[in-house]
């Protein structure tokens, strides 16, 4: 046998060993934690006295009459097959009319016993065109903030929750670095007006969802598959955050400014299959790590192997968040395919109960997400966690188990300052339209009546036990 053949054969015989070693390493590095809930007493939880107990919404989803934004245009369009962009054919329209009914909604918050409310500003209402700031809209949010404070509810504002004015979209939004200045200007304007009363600010809600929705899954505007543009937008949004943080903090160093990160775990469908592992790890790196590593190390490493990569460093980045907002919903399993779009179609993890969304109930995942974001070394606020459950037969248990997991994380030493349930009321769930029922309160969109769901009483009970404010 010649030498070359010999070397080739011995290399081949080492392959199974290498496969096994890699698999074992991944197995231990990324365990798919499972808790035995039948053994757990969910009553056994504790929360600090000054904990923020809240609920969250976003302008486009609840206010109504958001007619001048990227999403307003998007929800009226059809896709290349002539089908409506929104799966149900809904448009947001009047939504839950919170613009007019905010006082009623504050009553609901009082009934729940929460001490904080996270909501977003509709940039498109405040700055309908580049040169106009609308005083009525600015005044409206003054009224909302004042009403919250009067009722002992701490406001938390999100500056960008997926939507922005159509003029900004037409300029290329965050695809164009030049446009960052418009976002910073808008933020400065509203900050100057509300900073005396609002202590908690989130710059961006979930850059990773905005970007994967818009440039990978294409169910969000602009709906163009482009991993390359996605990398550019990541970089520009992270830059916009840093600039905004610095500008705002200059004027009021005592406020707390953070960014909101959605965290999902990505599991290999078959834990013995290295292809499944590869897709899961690549997805997790893009979705979770691009933002997290930037605030942990100062470097954003965005990488889709064989397609594109982008790296950006700003060593000051870790000093530009006072807290990390964590949104947690569930985990996904992925199965290998050479086509990345096919490979990242969400598969529900086997053996777990479904939510009404395409993912399962996995409350222990919130503990894993907390561990992950805690590596930033900043206080954590859980800015969203909730369940779509139209039948309301899983919500109560979901709340108990999720809050048990949060409490365990606090006991284990993680610095968690608050928890905001998504959502206060049913609302317009983006690509899913009005089909998804996340609300603690059910909304009849004809009459705008709100009704407390049975399962939500678990949240009331827990808050009652621990909220001393
Ligand atoms: C988040 C988003 C919210 C809400 C929620 C439920 O990603 O920030 O606006 O839609 O998901 O799916």
């Amino acid at each position: 046998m010649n030498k070359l053949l010999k070397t080739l054969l011995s290399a081949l015989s080492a392959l199974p060993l290498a496969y096994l070693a890699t698999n074992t390493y991944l197995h231990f590095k990324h365990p798919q934690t499972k808790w035995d809930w039948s053994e757990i007493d969910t009553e056994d939880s504790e929360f600090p006295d000054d904990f923020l107990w809240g609920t969250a919404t976003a302008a486009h989803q609840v206010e109504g009459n958001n007619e001048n934004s990227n999403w307003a245009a998007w929800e009226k369009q059809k896709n290349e097959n002539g089908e409506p962009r929104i799966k149900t054919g809904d448009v947001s329209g009047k939504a839950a009319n919170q613009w007019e009914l905010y006082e009623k909604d504050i009553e609901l918050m009082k009934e729940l016993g929460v001490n904080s409310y996270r909501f977003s500003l509709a940039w498109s209402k405040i700055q309908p065109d580049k040169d106009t700031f609308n005083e009525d809209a600015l005044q409206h949010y003054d009224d909302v903030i004042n009403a919250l404070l009067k009722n002992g509810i701490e406001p938390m504002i999100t500056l960008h929750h997926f939507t922005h004015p159509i003029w900004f979209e037409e300029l290329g939004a965050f695809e164009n670095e030049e446009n960052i200045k418009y976002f910073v200007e808008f933020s400065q304007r509203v900050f100057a007006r509300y900073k005396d009363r609002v202590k908690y600010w989130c710059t961006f809600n979930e850059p990773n969802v905005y970007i994967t929705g818009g440039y990978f899954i294409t169910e969000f505007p602009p709906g163009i598959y482009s991993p390359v543009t996605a990398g550019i937008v990541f970089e520009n949004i992270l830059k916009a955050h840093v600039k905004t943080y610095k500008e705002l903090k200059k004027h009021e160093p005592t406020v707390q400014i953070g960014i909101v990160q959605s965290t999902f775990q990505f599991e290999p469908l078959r834990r013995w299959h290295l292809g499944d592992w590869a897709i899961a790890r690549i997805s997790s790196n893009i979705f979770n790590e691009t933002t997290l590593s930037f605030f942990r190390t100062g470097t954003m490493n965005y990488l889709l192997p064989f397609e594109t990569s982008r790296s950006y460093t700003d060593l000051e980045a870790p000093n530009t968040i006072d807290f990390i907002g964590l949104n947690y919903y569930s985990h996904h399993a992925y199965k290998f395919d050479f086509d990345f779009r096919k490979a990242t179609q969400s598969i529900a993890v086997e053996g777990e109960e479904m939510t009404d969304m395409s993912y399962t109930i996995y409350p222990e995942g919130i503990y894993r997400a907390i561990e992950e974001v805690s590596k930033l070394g900043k206080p954590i606020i859980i800015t969203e966690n909730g369940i779509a459950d139209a039948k309301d037969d899983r919500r109560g248990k979901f709340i108990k188990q999720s809050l048990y997991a949060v409490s365990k994380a606090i006991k284990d030493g993680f610095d968690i300052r608050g928890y905001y349930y998504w959502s206060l009321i049913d609302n317009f769930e983006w690509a899913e339209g009005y089909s998804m029922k996340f609300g603690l309160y059910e909304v009849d969109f004809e009459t705008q009546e709100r009704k407390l769901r049975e399962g939500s009483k678990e949240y009331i009970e827990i808050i009652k036990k621990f909220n001393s404010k």
Side-chain angles (χ1 to χ4, degrees), residues 61 161-162 205-206 327 329 357 384 422 429-430 438:
Q61 296 178 272
H161 196 124
F162 300 162
N205 180 67
E206 307 181 338
N327 290 358
Y329 286 92
M357 296 287 277
E384 285 180 33
W422 183 275
E429 174 54 28
W430 310 113
F438 277 94

Side-chain angles (χ1 to χ4, degrees), residues 15 50 121 134 140 170 190 196 260 323 362 370 375 390-391 433 438:
L15 267 183
D50 55 357
L121 307 180
N134 182 310
H140 168 79
E170 281 163 3
V190 293
D196 59 330
V260 172
F323 66 88
Y362 181 55
I370 289 166
K375 294 179 189 155
K391 287 197 195 131
F438 277 94

Side-chain angles (χ1 to χ4, degrees), residues 238 289-302 310-318:
L238 295 176
E289 265 296 289
T290 311
T291 308
L292 290 179
S293 73
F294 182 65
F295 291 109
R296 201 175 55 235
T297 66
T299 297
M300 166 199 111
N301 271 324
Y302 165 81
R310 199 173 179 89
S311 179
Y312 167 66
T313 299
D314 176 352
L315 292 178
E316 285 186 52

Side-chain angles (χ1 to χ4, degrees), residues 57-58 61 118 161-162 205-206 208-210 220 260 262 264 287 327 329 357 359 384 386-388 422-423 427-430 432 436 438:
T57 61
Q61 296 178 272
R118 171 176 177 241
H161 196 124
F162 300 162
N205 180 67
E206 307 181 338
N208 52 356
V209 172
Y210 171 84
F220 282 20
V260 172
S262 167
F264 274 80
F287 191 81
N327 290 358
Y329 286 92
M357 296 287 277
Y359 46 72
E384 285 180 33
I387 183 172
W422 183 275
S423 177
N427 57 51
F428 180 76
E429 174 54 28
W430 310 113
E432 311 290 332
M436 291 297 151
F438 277 94

